[in-house]
Amino acid sequence: MSLTRKDLPGLPRESAATYLRRELGLDSDWSAEVISGGLSNLTFRIEAGDQRLVLRRPPLGHALRGAHDMRREHRALVALGPTPVPVPEVLAFCDDEKVLGAPFYVMREVRGLVVRGAAEAGELTPEQRAALSDGLVDALGDLHSVDVDAVGLGDFGKRGGYAARQVHTWGKQWQNSRTRELPDMDRLLARLEEAVPADEETTVVHGDYRLDNTIVNTAPPRVLAILDWELATLGHPVVDLASMLTYWHDRDDVERDSISVAAGLTTLPGFRTTTELAERYAARTGRDLSQLPIYLALAAMKLAAILEGVHARHLGGLAVGEGYDKVGTAVPVLAARGLRLLDGA
């Protein structure tokens, strides 16, 4: 979708222009476009002269209760701004639903590369891919090193019991958004209720950490900003690591073509393997990863539940952007993967 001065789904121009002029002094002669790649919240790029802003809001319809909380995203970004964690600069937050029909926030655009697919990954050299792999792990380690009380996020979530709550939360989300019967998913949820360990540590967790949720620089290769904080909370850090590894496809991953999300990103020469990423994280943070297979099974279940919700929006004609027609096929693949991981744990 190209830049336009017309209404966009989720961004009515007249009311948006009034707000942007009042709060940010933005001239009314601006253009906007939907930023492709997001499968959940709607994200728009706004250009006015030499200013480039990003506006983020919930999706249209079928919003599960407790999901797509713009206030929480805004709070996380503001709190992490002064820390070593790379995040965009937030400029404004609006909870008046009369403006766009839902709460939203505006941030300054971070200019860099988002590696969303094989095309962007193919532009990188093997050395850049290796460095960005390492940088992704290091940025996650920085996030998990933040003192939650010092940055004002001590009440950002419950302490302890995070993995068990994840099973309960995403099990409910699955029931609320499921479009079909999937016995493997039901078995996976039942087994996870018994398998997940008690939490021993609490940090800020991103909840959906992966390469294509970051903006990177290529020279030198580094992570410039971590995006999409809608699932951020307090929790066990290894759950976050497992989420990242679930989106990562090794070159010999036979399931990589069946999982459309992040497919083809990390299979080119130079990208680290999932084993190498886990080893770097353990070395950097000193954390024990002996129970990582259980957390990987949890991550597979969570991603399956998320994608089923996206699939439901697609079936209802409420998805904005490309790629939604392929999402549903990944759900049974992820459920089966979770069961295999538990068998080997």
Side-chain angles (χ1 to χ4, degrees):
M1 187 176 293
S2 58
L3 286 163
T4 180
R5 290 184 172 87
K6 299 180 180 179
D7 286 354
L8 292 172
L11 188 67
R13 183 173 181 85
E14 183 176 353
S15 55
T18 300
Y19 176 85
L20 293 171
R21 183 173 56 251
R22 181 181 72 244
E23 297 298 326
L24 299 175
L26 201 67
D27 187 275
S28 59
D29 186 28
W30 51 266
S31 301
E33 65 179 337
V34 177
I35 298 176
S36 63
L39 292 179
S40 184
N41 289 322
L42 295 179
T43 309
F44 303 90
R45 176 183 290 112
I46 297 173
E47 294 190 12
D50 60 353
Q51 293 192 72
R52 297 181 66 171
L53 309 177
V54 172
L55 185 150
R56 189 159 158 85
R57 57 148 295 162
L60 303 176
H62 201 78
L64 296 170
R65 183 178 180 182
H68 317 296
D69 190 335
M70 296 295 99
R71 185 181 294 278
R72 285 182 63 81
E73 281 199 40
H74 172 262
R75 181 182 175 190
L77 290 171
V78 170
L80 294 171
T83 75
V85 181
V87 295
E89 178 189 1
V90 178
L91 301 175
F93 172 76
C94 178
D95 60 1
D96 182 357
E97 297 191 11
K98 295 178 182 178
V99 179
L100 298 186
F104 65 92
Y105 65 91
V106 182
M107 51 191 167
R108 198 177 308 281
E109 183 180 54
V110 177
R111 301 200 182 192
L113 175 68
V114 178
V115 185
R116 287 199 176 99
E120 294 89 354
E123 295 175 1
L124 306 172
T125 66
E127 293 75 19
Q128 288 172 326
R129 295 173 196 138
L132 289 176
S133 302
D134 294 342
L136 193 68
V137 173
D138 295 347
L140 186 62
D142 287 341
L143 174 63
H144 295 162
S145 298
V146 169
D147 184 326
V148 297
D149 295 308
V151 299
L153 293 177
D155 62 346
F156 197 54
K158 296 179 181 179
R159 303 195 187 211
Y162 176 66
R165 288 198 306 277
Q166 286 281 285
V167 175
H168 177 72
T169 296
W170 291 104
K172 286 182 62 178
Q173 302 289 50
W174 164 255
Q175 296 299 336
N176 290 337
S177 60
R178 65 190 302 168
T179 64
R180 53 198 148 166
E181 293 300 315
L182 192 59
D184 272 359
M185 190 68 168
D186 297 330
R187 284 192 289 269
L188 177 58
L189 284 162
R191 290 187 61 182
L192 281 170
E193 288 182 357
E194 301 296 327
V196 290
D199 294 347
E200 298 174 356
E201 184 181 9
T202 297
T203 69
V204 179
V205 292
H206 179 274
D208 195 22
Y209 191 77
R210 61 183 196 260
L211 178 60
D212 56 323
N213 268 346
T214 66
I215 299 173
V216 303
N217 192 51
T218 56
R222 62 189 179 94
V223 176
L224 296 175
I226 303 170
L227 308 175
D228 293 3
W229 291 84
E230 66 177 288
L231 300 177
T233 187
L234 299 184
H236 195 286
V238 180
V239 176
D240 236 6
L241 173 67
S243 177
M244 183 190 81
L245 296 178
T246 298
Y247 287 104
W248 200 273
H249 300 291
D250 292 338
R251 287 185 289 279
D252 60 352
D253 182 357
V254 297
E255 294 176 341
R256 68 189 191 193
D257 294 330
S258 302
I259 302 176
S260 58
V261 179
L265 264 71
T266 59
T267 56
L268 295 174
F271 281 117
R272 308 296 192 197
T273 66
T274 51
T275 297
E276 290 170 333
L277 295 174
E279 289 174 347
R280 183 178 182 90
Y281 179 86
R284 183 177 177 87
T285 65
R287 292 192 171 96
D288 176 18
L289 300 186
S290 60
Q291 295 179 311
L292 181 58
I294 298 175
Y295 291 122
L296 286 169
L298 172 59
M301 179 277 293
K302 174 181 170 181
L303 180 55
I306 291 172
L307 295 184
E308 186 73 359
V310 174
H311 180 58
R313 288 200 296 277
H314 166 68
L315 294 178
L318 297 172
V320 177
E322 299 178 355
Y324 292 92
D325 56 328
K326 301 177 182 178
V327 167
T329 60
V331 176
V333 176
L334 287 162
R337 174 188 286 187
L339 289 172
R340 289 198 308 273
L341 285 161
L342 290 180
D343 288 339

